[in-house]
Amino acid sequence: MTNKDISRVKELLEGNKKIVIVPHKGPDGDAMGSTLALKILLEHLDHYVQLIAPNDYPNFLKWMPYQDEVLIYDRDPKKCDDYIAEADVIFTLDFNHLSRAGEMYKPLKGAKASFIMIDHHQQPDDYAEVTYSDVSMCSTCQMVYHFIENIGLDEKITPQIATCLYTGIMTDTGSFRYRSTTSLTHRVIADLIDKGADNTSIHENIFDTSSYGQLQLLGCALQNLKVVEGLRTAYITLSQEELDRHNFKKGDTEGFVNYGLSLEGIVFAAIFIENEAEKIVKISFRSKGTFSVNDFARRYFDGGGHINAAGGKSDLSLQETVDKFISILPTYKKNLAL
């Protein structure tokens, strides 16, 4: 953040303000961790704060502090629209284009509030009065930690805030294994533990709460795992019928794509998940090294994200989507060939 940004944020937070905080549609651990941490901090500063998620989020995140105070937009849009219209300041966290807020796009676009963006994804839009964007950061939660430092409130980090920030950093770095995890990230994590984050219980709450159906679905996904010979690529498919058969719930496929990447010699992995309700195929991409799945997702599948982790979607059928994916791979033979 620049000194000008820091000064402007402090001005915007003077007095008691009505503040709305928004994560992206389909919130993950980083989105919910960063927004909940900021909500707790700003409420401690006597602001009136409402966190509004565009839609529901996975059960494995619903142990987090204050999550029961989150409004879900698609459950009560009128109430949420009123909060957005009355807000003095709106924080958007872990996304950088208002379209990523789903059905909240229109009310956010029409809001009179001052916007503050905190995000680590590539190619940010310019809708915010203050934009704190850093694509080198491993997570928005780490950025919120530095945001709190920059505005001089690091002593206000409570055990609850530390817990939320640790959760987002841990989940967005694959438990600290991704390339974006730096020595600074580890120093931040150490400070969060010192400030009260219980790392053991956080990991247990995230990773040790699988349902029987979820593990059966994982088995199905691994049965469907395919390798594209000669192009160091693996992919998984899950049809709507397979999801239904295993009582799929939001968040159940979290991390499945990484199993493809765990195969020896694989540098590019994808998972294709059929969603009949939305009439799309949802896609997650992962890679190792310099192969940019962000560029790949943006170019071919209406998505984006980071160099080594991105998402996309397809309006084609599941099989047509997979066929399209396979047909594109030879274009990247120089990057993917053995």
Side-chain angles (χ1 to χ4, degrees), residues 45-66:
L45 299 176
D46 296 324
H47 296 294
Y48 183 79
V49 185
Q50 185 59 60
L51 200 170
I52 305 175
N55 60 345
D56 202 4
Y57 47 96
N59 287 334
F60 66 78
L61 297 174
K62 291 186 176 178
W63 57 272
M64 296 174 70
Y66 286 72

CSV table of all heavy atoms in Angstrom, one decimal, residues 45-66:
chain,number,residue,atom,x,y,z
A,45,LEU,N,-13.5,-1.5,16.3
A,45,LEU,CA,-13.3,-0.1,16.2
A,45,LEU,C,-14.6,0.7,16.2
A,45,LEU,O,-14.7,1.9,15.9
A,45,LEU,CB,-12.6,0.2,14.9
A,45,LEU,CG,-11.2,-0.4,14.8
A,45,LEU,CD1,-10.6,-0.1,13.4
A,45,LEU,CD2,-10.2,0.1,15.9
A,46,ASP,N,-15.7,0.0,16.6
A,46,ASP,CA,-17.0,0.6,16.7
A,46,ASP,C,-17.7,1.0,15.4
A,46,ASP,O,-18.6,1.9,15.4
A,46,ASP,CB,-17.0,1.8,17.7
A,46,ASP,CG,-16.6,1.4,19.1
A,46,ASP,OD1,-17.0,0.3,19.5
A,46,ASP,OD2,-15.9,2.2,19.8
A,47,HIS,N,-17.3,0.3,14.3
A,47,HIS,CA,-18.1,0.5,13.1
A,47,HIS,C,-19.2,-0.5,13.1
A,47,HIS,O,-19.2,-1.5,13.7
A,47,HIS,CB,-17.2,0.3,11.9
A,47,HIS,CG,-16.1,1.3,11.8
A,47,HIS,ND1,-16.3,2.6,11.5
A,47,HIS,CD2,-14.7,1.1,11.9
A,47,HIS,CE1,-15.1,3.2,11.5
A,47,HIS,NE2,-14.1,2.4,11.7
A,48,TYR,N,-20.2,-0.2,12.3
A,48,TYR,CA,-21.3,-1.1,12.1
A,48,TYR,C,-21.0,-1.9,10.8
A,48,TYR,O,-21.0,-1.3,9.7
A,48,TYR,CB,-22.7,-0.4,11.9
A,48,TYR,CG,-23.8,-1.4,11.8
A,48,TYR,CD1,-24.4,-2.0,12.9
A,48,TYR,CD2,-24.4,-1.7,10.6
A,48,TYR,CE1,-25.4,-2.9,12.8
A,48,TYR,CE2,-25.4,-2.6,10.4
A,48,TYR,CZ,-25.9,-3.2,11.5
A,48,TYR,OH,-26.9,-4.1,11.4
A,49,VAL,N,-20.8,-3.2,11.0
A,49,VAL,CA,-20.3,-4.0,9.9
A,49,VAL,C,-21.2,-5.1,9.5
A,49,VAL,O,-21.7,-5.9,10.4
A,49,VAL,CB,-18.9,-4.5,10.2
A,49,VAL,CG1,-18.3,-5.3,9.0
A,49,VAL,CG2,-18.0,-3.4,10.7
A,50,GLN,N,-21.5,-5.3,8.2
A,50,GLN,CA,-22.2,-6.4,7.7
A,50,GLN,C,-21.4,-7.1,6.7
A,50,GLN,O,-21.0,-6.5,5.7
A,50,GLN,CB,-23.6,-6.0,7.1
A,50,GLN,CG,-24.5,-7.2,6.8
A,50,GLN,CD,-24.7,-8.1,7.9
A,50,GLN,OE1,-25.3,-7.7,8.9
A,50,GLN,NE2,-24.3,-9.4,7.8
A,51,LEU,N,-21.2,-8.4,6.9
A,51,LEU,CA,-20.5,-9.3,5.9
A,51,LEU,C,-21.6,-10.0,5.1
A,51,LEU,O,-22.5,-10.6,5.6
A,51,LEU,CB,-19.6,-10.3,6.6
A,51,LEU,CG,-18.5,-11.0,5.8
A,51,LEU,CD1,-17.6,-11.8,6.8
A,51,LEU,CD2,-19.0,-11.9,4.7
A,52,ILE,N,-21.5,-9.8,3.7
A,52,ILE,CA,-22.5,-10.4,2.8
A,52,ILE,C,-21.8,-11.3,1.8
A,52,ILE,O,-21.0,-10.8,1.0
A,52,ILE,CB,-23.3,-9.3,2.1
A,52,ILE,CG1,-24.0,-8.4,3.1
A,52,ILE,CG2,-24.4,-10.0,1.2
A,52,ILE,CD1,-24.7,-7.2,2.4
A,53,ALA,N,-22.0,-12.6,1.9
A,53,ALA,CA,-21.5,-13.5,0.9
A,53,ALA,C,-22.5,-13.7,-0.2
A,53,ALA,O,-23.7,-13.8,0.0
A,53,ALA,CB,-21.2,-14.8,1.5
A,54,PRO,N,-22.0,-13.7,-1.5
A,54,PRO,CA,-23.0,-13.9,-2.6
A,54,PRO,C,-23.8,-15.1,-2.5
A,54,PRO,O,-25.0,-15.1,-2.9
A,54,PRO,CB,-22.1,-13.9,-3.8
A,54,PRO,CG,-20.8,-13.1,-3.4
A,54,PRO,CD,-20.7,-13.5,-2.0
A,55,ASN,N,-23.2,-16.2,-2.1
A,55,ASN,CA,-23.9,-17.5,-1.9
A,55,ASN,C,-23.3,-18.2,-0.7
A,55,ASN,O,-22.3,-17.8,-0.1
A,55,ASN,CB,-23.9,-18.3,-3.2
A,55,ASN,CG,-22.5,-18.6,-3.7
A,55,ASN,OD1,-21.5,-18.1,-3.2
A,55,ASN,ND2,-22.5,-19.6,-4.6
A,56,ASP,N,-23.8,-19.4,-0.5
A,56,ASP,CA,-23.4,-20.2,0.7
A,56,ASP,C,-21.9,-20.7,0.5
A,56,ASP,O,-21.4,-20.7,-0.7
A,56,ASP,CB,-24.3,-21.3,0.9
A,56,ASP,CG,-24.3,-21.8,2.4
A,56,ASP,OD1,-23.5,-21.3,3.2
A,56,ASP,OD2,-25.0,-22.8,2.7
A,57,TYR,N,-21.3,-21.2,1.5
A,57,TYR,CA,-20.0,-21.7,1.5
A,57,TYR,C,-19.9,-23.0,2.2
A,57,TYR,O,-20.8,-23.4,2.9
A,57,TYR,CB,-19.0,-20.6,2.1
A,57,TYR,CG,-19.4,-20.0,3.4
A,57,TYR,CD1,-19.0,-20.6,4.6
A,57,TYR,CD2,-20.3,-18.9,3.5
A,57,TYR,CE1,-19.3,-20.0,5.8
A,57,TYR,CE2,-20.7,-18.4,4.7
A,57,TYR,CZ,-20.2,-18.9,5.9
A,57,TYR,OH,-20.6,-18.4,7.1
A,58,PRO,N,-18.8,-23.7,2.1
A,58,PRO,CA,-18.7,-25.1,2.6
A,58,PRO,C,-18.9,-25.2,4.1
A,58,PRO,O,-18.4,-24.3,4.8
A,58,PRO,CB,-17.3,-25.6,2.1
A,58,PRO,CG,-17.0,-24.7,0.9
A,58,PRO,CD,-17.6,-23.4,1.3
A,59,ASN,N,-19.4,-26.4,4.5
A,59,ASN,CA,-19.6,-26.6,5.9
A,59,ASN,C,-18.3,-26.7,6.7
A,59,ASN,O,-18.2,-26.3,7.9
A,59,ASN,CB,-20.3,-27.9,6.2
A,59,ASN,CG,-21.8,-27.8,5.8
A,59,ASN,OD1,-22.4,-26.7,5.9
A,59,ASN,ND2,-22.4,-28.9,5.4
A,60,PHE,N,-17.2,-27.1,6.0
A,60,PHE,CA,-15.9,-27.2,6.8
A,60,PHE,C,-15.3,-25.8,7.2
A,60,PHE,O,-14.4,-25.7,7.9
A,60,PHE,CB,-14.9,-28.0,6.0
A,60,PHE,CG,-14.4,-27.4,4.7
A,60,PHE,CD1,-13.5,-26.3,4.7
A,60,PHE,CD2,-14.9,-27.8,3.5
A,60,PHE,CE1,-13.0,-25.8,3.5
A,60,PHE,CE2,-14.4,-27.3,2.3
A,60,PHE,CZ,-13.5,-26.3,2.3
A,61,LEU,N,-16.0,-24.7,6.7
A,61,LEU,CA,-15.6,-23.4,7.1
A,61,LEU,C,-16.5,-22.8,8.2
A,61,LEU,O,-16.3,-21.7,8.7
A,61,LEU,CB,-15.6,-22.4,5.9
A,61,LEU,CG,-14.6,-22.8,4.8
A,61,LEU,CD1,-14.7,-21.8,3.6
A,61,LEU,CD2,-13.1,-22.7,5.3
A,62,LYS,N,-17.6,-23.5,8.5
A,62,LYS,CA,-18.6,-22.9,9.4
A,62,LYS,C,-18.4,-23.1,10.9
A,62,LYS,O,-19.3,-22.8,11.7
A,62,LYS,CB,-20.0,-23.5,9.0
A,62,LYS,CG,-20.4,-23.0,7.6
A,62,LYS,CD,-21.8,-23.4,7.2
A,62,LYS,CE,-22.2,-22.8,5.9
A,62,LYS,NZ,-23.5,-23.2,5.4
A,63,TRP,N,-17.2,-23.4,11.3
A,63,TRP,CA,-16.7,-23.3,12.7
A,63,TRP,C,-16.1,-22.0,13.0
A,63,TRP,O,-15.8,-21.7,14.1
A,63,TRP,CB,-15.7,-24.5,12.9
A,63,TRP,CG,-14.5,-24.4,12.0
A,63,TRP,CD1,-14.4,-24.9,10.8
A,63,TRP,CD2,-13.3,-23.7,12.2
A,63,TRP,NE1,-13.2,-24.6,10.2
A,63,TRP,CE2,-12.5,-23.8,11.1
A,63,TRP,CE3,-12.9,-22.9,13.3
A,63,TRP,CZ2,-11.3,-23.2,11.0
A,63,TRP,CZ3,-11.6,-22.3,13.2
A,63,TRP,CH2,-10.8,-22.5,12.0
A,64,MET,N,-15.8,-21.2,12.0
A,64,MET,CA,-15.0,-20.0,12.1
A,64,MET,C,-15.7,-18.9,13.0
A,64,MET,O,-16.9,-18.9,12.9
A,64,MET,CB,-14.6,-19.4,10.8
A,64,MET,CG,-13.7,-20.4,10.0
A,64,MET,SD,-13.3,-19.8,8.3
A,64,MET,CE,-12.3,-18.4,8.7
A,65,PRO,N,-15.0,-18.1,13.7
A,65,PRO,CA,-15.6,-17.1,14.5
A,65,PRO,C,-16.5,-16.1,13.8
A,65,PRO,O,-16.1,-15.7,12.7
A,65,PRO,CB,-14.4,-16.3,15.1
A,65,PRO,CG,-13.2,-17.3,15.0
A,65,PRO,CD,-13.5,-18.1,13.8
A,66,TYR,N,-17.7,-15.9,14.3
A,66,TYR,CA,-18.6,-14.9,13.8
A,66,TYR,C,-19.3,-15.3,12.4
A,66,TYR,O,-20.0,-14.5,11.8
A,66,TYR,CB,-18.0,-13.5,13.6
A,66,TYR,CG,-17.7,-12.8,14.9
A,66,TYR,CD1,-16.7,-13.2,15.8
A,66,TYR,CD2,-18.5,-11.7,15.2
A,66,TYR,CE1,-16.5,-12.5,17.0
A,66,TYR,CE2,-18.3,-11.0,16.4
A,66,TYR,CZ,-17.3,-11.4,17.3
A,66,TYR,OH,-17.1,-10.8,18.5
